[in-house]
Every structure is written in structure tokens, then in C-alpha cells.
Amino acid sequence: MLQQWWLNKKLKRLINNNKLGKPEHLQTHYQYLLTNLNQPISKTDLLALDIEMTGLNPKKDQMVSIGVIPIINGQIQPKFAQHKFIKIQGSVGQSAVIHGVLDKDLNNALTQQEALEWLFEQCQHKVLVAHHAQLDLQFLQQSLRKIGLQPLPLFAIDTLLIDKRRQFRKHQFLNTGSLRLNACRERYNLPIYNAHNALTDALACAELLLAQLNKMGGLETITLAKLLESH
Amino acid sequence: MDNSELQPIFDFMRRLAPFDSLQEQTLKQCCKVLTIAYYSQQQKLVHVDSNDPQLYIVRSGAFEVSTQEGELIDRIGEGQYFGFSGMLSGEKVVNQVHILEDGLVYHLPAVMFDQLRANCHSFDRFFNQAFAKRLRNQGSLKHNHISTARITNIMSRELTTITRDATIHQAALLMSEKRLSSLIVVNEDKLCGILTDRDLRNRVLAKGLTGALLVEQAMTEHPTTIKPEALIFEAMLKMSEKNIHHLPVVKGNKPIAIITSTDLIRSQSSQPLLLIGQIDRQNNLESLIQVSQKIPDLLFNLISSDAKAMEIGRVLTSVTDSLTRRLIALRQEQLGPAPMTFCWLAFGSQGRQDQMAGSDQDNALILEREATKVEKDYFKQLSEYVCSALNECGFPFCPGNIMAQNPKWQLTLQQWLQAFSKWIKTPDPSALLNATIFFDMRPVFGDLSLFKQLQTTVLKNTKNNDIFIAALSQNALQSTPPLGFFRSFVLERDGSEVKGIDLKHKGNALINDIVRIYALSVGIEEVNTIKRIEALIALSAIDKDIAMNLLDSWEFIAHKRLTNQGQQFNNTQPVSNYILPDSLSSLVRHQLKDAFKVIHEAQGTVKHKFLRQF
């Protein structure tokens, strides 16, 4: 209840504040979140997201690719999956080992601004989902700053936090690495994917969320307000 | 790879039959239009919307399909499907899908499913329930292996005949004009004899007769004939057994061609025939045992040539028959001729001519009359020699002791008639259980008329004998085929999971049982399951669809048994009928499942038709 009241207030304030220089699509996004706060997740459209970066520090490192895949009516929709590369300054360097994106892949990539506009357009009527959402959202906020906008609050469902809470509730000791995407998936008997890119990870995250929601009592019974995190 | 494609979905789908047969571009489209859902055990049932049908592809987890009444239809795991029957039949789905284990399921929309079926033949065939089409493609004879090639392939199109009331002079003119070594003699289109060069020489010229003699006075009446669907190899065997060089090919009563030894030589000599020739030439047991060691090689050559299973069975049984005959002859050389006429019978797989690797021997004797003590001793010495020699040649003793060396099965014709009469007239299902094997009997050596009398009486008594047929049916329905496969297990009808499957006892034997019931109920003489089915179709004594499906299923399962044995042989493992699900591709699993389904349905029909039960 408290969480819902607080989210409600925060979103309203955001929507009504005209001094923030909000991109238009983001305004629509906030409104969608507000109207769906009390709705069950099954009635809410979601957008699973994963961002590949050159490193883990939002201040220093840069985004190189974004993958998104929507969940509509409780089902993942590969048809609307999308993947974009983002231009960076300098080279991907050693990080290519992790995300597999090479400098030559970025030749025709979007600029940071284009990438943000594209992403906000995608999530006008959707709720973001990510594994360890905090990191992804911090990178997005940093990008907002880089293109001269305010680092606005962003909201997402975080599959990592969902599992962390579930594990704590079961009084289970958390090992390092036990909340990584594949480790979480294994607990739900989900197949392990070896291919590693932004889109595959977005898919893996979407599947994990569906498994988690089912374990928590089903998509019909859980409201958005219970899951949404603010950053 | 385009980065908006989802590699894990594509990787999974391209390993799945029948999606593995799609073009890469088509498969990518498939991966794009499917949607992914997660089903949790807490929901208990998958809500299948019959207004919005789709193919459910299980990515992980486990599901169970059952009828509304709760009868288990299938258990489904990773890489298997449900929900397509409605799309194929257009009927509303009433089956229930239970969630056994949480899992991810891909949904392929009906539009795409239909499009794939329309554009890709193998895709359609995979899902099409008209399964016969699917299997018939599989078992087809790919190589024209000599031992399994048919008479029809080598017989000439043109047939020259002469009537029986023509003169020898006219016949000789015709033969020299057409450069023939023989003529078929007909009476109103029906075969009545054969006239050969040798007849002209021996029966006319040598006897100082003239060309005015009538054909019917010099011809051989009622010649040995062969059917057009016979194997070339069988024609060879017939000629060498009877020492003849011409075989009229007969369809019904009508001659349609003639096969000569030259035709056969031209089609090359064959391995089984060489083996049988060798068997016939051996003069002692040791060398026969040595020759018999080549039988497995023959079998596995036939398997690798991808011959039809039923034909391999016939070839192999012919070898066993020759071996049996040669052993009897060898022993009779020592013991002298038999004190009375007798007939050596084969039962079971040798009787049905569907022997495969590891078949044991089932045989017995019909004696003309009650034997004296001395005569009994003769048959004891004969049969013990032959049975133990067969054992040493690789045909193990019958565990049930149904063997000619067992005094219990050295019976006079009268005693055989009594034994059968007891099984038929007061059928006690448990006694009958061990006796069914006797109803697949075939003479191998000796006096045919003894066998004929026995068979005729037996069939007369089984025909339309509702009580006996019901008892036989009851026995046949004791054992059921599995439902299919679940992960690395075989799924039985009661839901239990077992490690492997005996394809003989849970497959071919069940079909043999079903077909035997039909055959005995209408008094068909054939004992080979395939020939029984063909005879039943000809008499319209069985639903044609069921019959065709049984034919296909029999061949498919037998073929799988053989290829499995071929692999075991190559890996120098002991050869058996046992197969592990892990060794089967997903396509073969589906096909075997369909074959089991055919058996299950045929058993249902037997229950309905002969037990009046539903």
C-alpha cells in the first residue's frame, strides 16, 4: 500500500512538473505507468530491456547496444524484438570480449540522442523490465545528461531484485553470483542460453520475469505497483 | 546474422523435426511470429482456446494430454508438441492439457502452421494424422537388392500360349518362329500345362511319335507356378528344388508370363541363394554349423541394403527352412527312410516367415499313425539330431519346449486334431495363451497332405466360431502398445515410465495377434501376417484403412527392429529387440508413436468386433 501511494505521488508530481524539459514520449510513459499502477501485470504491456556497455561505471563507460522485446498479454513477442547499436567515443576496447560488439559494428550506429529517442518511443505505452535494472537506468540517465537534459527519474521492474527478495524471504544465504541472470534462470529450470548479446539477454530477462510472476501467484494477481522500482 | 533475430529460439527450433527440414529463411520467419509463454504448475491446466488454435511447442517443462474422461493420451516434454490435432481436423479440442512441471512454451499461430503445411511437404506429412502416408514413404525399398527384387521386374511383357487341342507340329512351328524354349498351354484362358523343348524331345521324338500328336498328350500338366509378387529369389529356390527351368507366372488362374532359368541367371546370382546352395552341398554337421555362421552376415547385408523388413524375414526363413531340410536329409542318410509318412512343421516366426536375428526354433511332427516303440525311437533320433543341430547353427532351443524332439509334440494327425479341437472348442484363455503359436503353422518337410488335412479341419473349426475367437481376442488384448516417449523413457498407457521397449513383443507381436484373430475368424490359410492382411482385404473381412495402417505399422516397427539390430551388430553388442528411446531421432519417435496408436486403435476394433465390448 505504501509503495503504491508513494509511486502514485511521485509519478503525479513528475507528470505535472513542466520545468523538467521532459521528452514528449517520456511524459506519455509516465502517464502509462500511473494509470496502470493498480492493474494486474497481465493487463500491462511490458518491454524487457538489456544494454551492453563498455564497462560498469555509468560516469566513465558508454552504451554500445540496446535490445528490447515486448511482453503483451503475458506473452513474449519475438516479432517486435529490436536491437540497436550506439555510436561511442573511442573504441570498445577490451569490453568486446564481454558483449561481442566490435568497432566496425558501430559504423552505422545511432547517436546517443537517436538511441534515447528511439527507446522512449518504444516504451511510451510499456513498462521497462531489466535484470539489475539500476545499472541500465543509470546509464540511460547519464546519457540524458550528456545530451543536455535533466537526468529524470526512471522506473523499471527488476528481475534481480525480485529474486533477491524471494531468496531473503526464504532466509537463504546469497552467494556471489547467485543473482546473475543465468543463475536465477537455473532456479526456475529455464534453459541456459550461451549466445550473449543485448537481445538474447532481454529475452532471457523476459522469460525469467514470467517464471517469477508465476511462482509469486500468477500474472492476474500481482499489480504493477508491487513490482515497480524507481531510480 | 541480423541482430534483431533471437539466436536461442532459432538454435532450438532448427534441431526440431519437422522444423529442421525447413529452409533457413522460412525457419527464421517462424521464430519471429511465435510467442512465448510460461506455464506454472499452480495453474494446473493450459487454457487451449479452440477459437484461436495454435501449435504449442514445449521449450521446457512437462505436460500431459488427457481426454475429458481422464484417459492419458500423451506426456509431452522438451521438443514435443500439442494442440495441433484441432488445426488438422478443424474440430474443437476437448482434450485437457495438464501442467506437470513449470516450463516455457512457444506458440506458433495457426496461420503460420497452415502456411508451412501448404508449402512444405515434409512438414505437412509430419503433422498429418493420415499417418499411413508418412510411414509408407519411410519403408520404401530404396535399393533393388537381388534377394528382394520381384518377379515382375524381370518377367517379359509378352506371353505366347497354345491351346491343348493344337498339334505338336503347330506348337513346334510357333516355338521356332518365336524362338521360345517353352509354351504355356491354356484352356479357355486358364493355365492347364506347359510344353518345353525337353517334352518334345523326351515325350515325342524319343518315343517315335509324330507331330500329329496333340499338345495335351505331351505337355506337363499342372506345372509348378509362381505369383507375380514373388521374389526373384523365391523363383530361383523353386526351380532348384524341383529341378525345372521354366516357371509360369500366374495371377489367379490366368497365366501372365513365364520365367526361365536364363532370366534368373541374367538377373545375377544372389547371396542368399549362394548360402542355400552351400547348405544343400554340406555333408556333415560341422560344415553346416560353419556355413550357418554366415547367416548373421547375410541378415546384416540385407539390413544395410535397406530391404523391406517383411522381405528380409522371408529370405531369412527360407534359409532356416533349407537348413532344417538338409539336417533331416543328413540324419535320414544314417537312419534310413522313415517308417511312415510324416510332416515337419514350423510354428511361430518360422511359420509366419518373419524370422529375424535371435529367433528361436518352434517345430513339431505330424505322424501318419500311432508309432510302435521302434518307430518312436526313429523319430526320437531324427528330431533330437535336427533340433540340437539347429541350436548349434544359431537357432536356440525353444524355452517353452515346443519342439519336434519333445514327445509331446510328435503327434499323429488324429492327436493333432484332438489337441486343436480342445483349444478351439473349450477355449480356456490361459491354456490358449500358450497355444496361439500353433495357429501360425507351416509345413517345412515331408508329407504335405498330412498338413493340409490338419489345416483344413482347424480352419473349418475356427471360422465363425464366436466363442473361440472371443477367447483369442481376450488374450490378444492383454498386452498393449506404449503411448509414446517422454524424455528418455517409454511412456506406458497407465502413465508409468520404463527405460526401453521391446519392439517385438510390444509392436510386431501385437499386430500378429490382431491379424491372426481376423484370419482365423474367416478361415484364411495364410500364416504370414502381411499375406493374411492382404487376404483379409481381398475378402473384405477387415476395414481397409485399418488393414493398410496395420501393414504400414508392422513394416515400420519391424524395420526399426532390424536397423536397431544392425547397429547392435556393428557395435558388436548382443543383438536384441530392445530399443532405448535416447537412440531415436525425434522424427522416428513421432512415427513409432503413430504406429503404436494404430495398434491401439486396431485393438479397440477387435474388442468391439469380437468381444462385443466398447
Side-chain angles (χ1 to χ4, degrees), chain A residues 69 74-79 81-83 85 188-191 193 195 197 199-200 203 207 210-211 214-215 217, chain B residues 3-9 31-40 42-43 54 59-60 102 104 106-107:
Chain A
I69 186 164
Q75 295 188 5
I76 302 167
Q77 314 281 335
K79 197 200 264 186
Q82 292 189 66
H83 181 272
F85 287 118
Y188 296 90
N189 284 322
L190 291 169
Y193 300 149
N197 70 38
L199 192 54
T200 311
L203 171 70
E207 290 174 351
L210 291 184
N214 272 290
K215 274 281 186 293
Chain B
N3 269 285
S4 71
E5 271 152 17
L6 288 154
Q7 191 73 41
I9 302 176
C31 295
K32 281 236 152 155
V33 300
L34 47 80
T35 63
I36 306 167
Y38 188 89
Y39 292 94
S40 153
Q42 289 162 350
Q43 300 167 305
Q54 47 193 357
R59 177 64 183 89
S60 67
D102 295 6
L104 285 172
Y106 296 168
H107 303 155

Side-chain angles (χ1 to χ4, degrees), chain B residues 270-288:
Chain B
S270 74
Q271 207 195 1
L273 198 69
L274 288 176
L275 189 60
I276 287 171
Q278 274 180 324
I279 287 173
D280 287 341
R281 282 195 302 278
Q282 302 312 314
N283 286 319
N284 58 62
L285 181 56
E286 289 68 36
S287 53
L288 269 178

Side-chain angles (χ1 to χ4, degrees), chain B residues 402-446:
Chain B
I402 298 173
M403 284 188 289
Q405 67 175 12
N406 182 351
K408 205 179 153 192
W409 302 120
Q410 300 171 353
L411 301 179
T412 66
L413 179 60
Q414 278 315 310
Q415 289 167 325
W416 274 113
L417 287 172
Q418 278 163 16
F420 271 102
S421 163
K422 210 176 131 207
W423 293 321
I424 296 168
K425 290 196 174 138
T426 49
D428 162 15
S430 68
L432 199 55
L433 194 61
N434 300 318
T436 43
I437 169 178
F438 291 105
F439 289 90
D440 299 340
M441 59 175 168
R442 196 170 54 83
V444 173
F445 180 93

Side-chain angles (χ1 to χ4, degrees), chain B residues 158-174:
Chain B
E158 203 186 339
L159 176 72
T160 311
T161 61
I162 194 158
T163 53
R164 60 187 304 158
D165 51 4
T167 63
I168 288 295
H169 180 66
Q170 286 172 314
L173 275 179
L174 188 60

